[in-house]
Amino acid sequence: MNITHTDIEIYIKSVSPEAIKAWLETCTSSLDVQSSNPKRQAYWATFAGADNQQAEFEIIVLNKVQSNFSSVWFNTKSTPWANDKACAQEAFGHFQSTVRCVASSWQEGDAPDQWLSIDAEGEQTIDWL
């Protein structure tokens, strides 16, 4: 089954807003700060897709939202990644810090009980309460 993702959201443990911004700069064609405070950063980004079309989208970073994890939300279906898991795998490779995302595709109205946790031990499905 081919599922269209409308956005991507991952959670990265113990990483500073500055480090997240630096990573986002490597993942996008351009990254402009829209607003920034200690708890929340908003960016406007572009990404050149496979067809060389520039996709413009918003990225929101919420710092330390749960258990020292920061949320990174890409408000677009046009990202360098096919899904949340691919984005989380790349983030783990970059930060070498635990990254979590929903375990399967999430649709509006779903309650995402199962999470994928990626860390130095590998990947496992967890209940994140």
Side-chain angles (χ1 to χ4, degrees):
M1 180 157 78
N2 192 2
I3 297 172
T4 301
H5 295 271
T6 56
D7 65 357
I8 286 181
E9 185 172 19
I10 63 171
Y11 295 82
I12 308 168
K13 188 171 187 178
S14 303
V15 176
S16 73
E18 296 79 18
I20 292 172
K21 179 179 184 262
W23 175 64
L24 292 173
E25 289 172 335
T26 69
C27 302
T28 58
S29 302
S30 69
L31 187 72
D32 297 314
V33 177
Q34 296 302 301
S35 64
S36 181
N37 65 54
K39 283 293 198 189
R40 180 183 188 275
Q41 294 79 50
Y43 302 99
W44 191 248
T46 58
F47 168 71
D51 56 4
N52 265 348
Q53 294 295 312
Q54 289 286 328
E56 295 183 326
F57 56 93
E58 181 180 40
I59 302 171
I60 303 291
V61 178
L62 300 175
N63 300 302
K64 298 181 181 178
V65 291
Q66 181 159 341
S67 308
N68 210 25
F69 280 84
S70 294
S71 165
V72 182
W73 177 54
F74 299 85
N75 186 15
T76 182
K77 61 183 175 184
S78 300
T79 68
W81 310 284
N83 52 39
D84 294 43
K85 179 180 177 180
C87 179
Q89 289 169 326
E90 183 172 316
F92 174 75
H94 180 85
F95 293 111
Q96 295 298 302
S97 181
T98 302
V99 180
R100 293 180 178 169
C101 66
V102 291
S104 61
S105 65
W106 181 84
Q107 302 296 320
E108 191 72 35
D110 285 356
D113 296 326
Q114 295 291 300
W115 293 85
L116 178 66
S117 181
I118 303 171
D119 59 25
E121 311 259 319
E123 298 179 9
Q124 62 181 343
T125 301
I126 62 166
D127 289 322
W128 190 14
L129 305 174

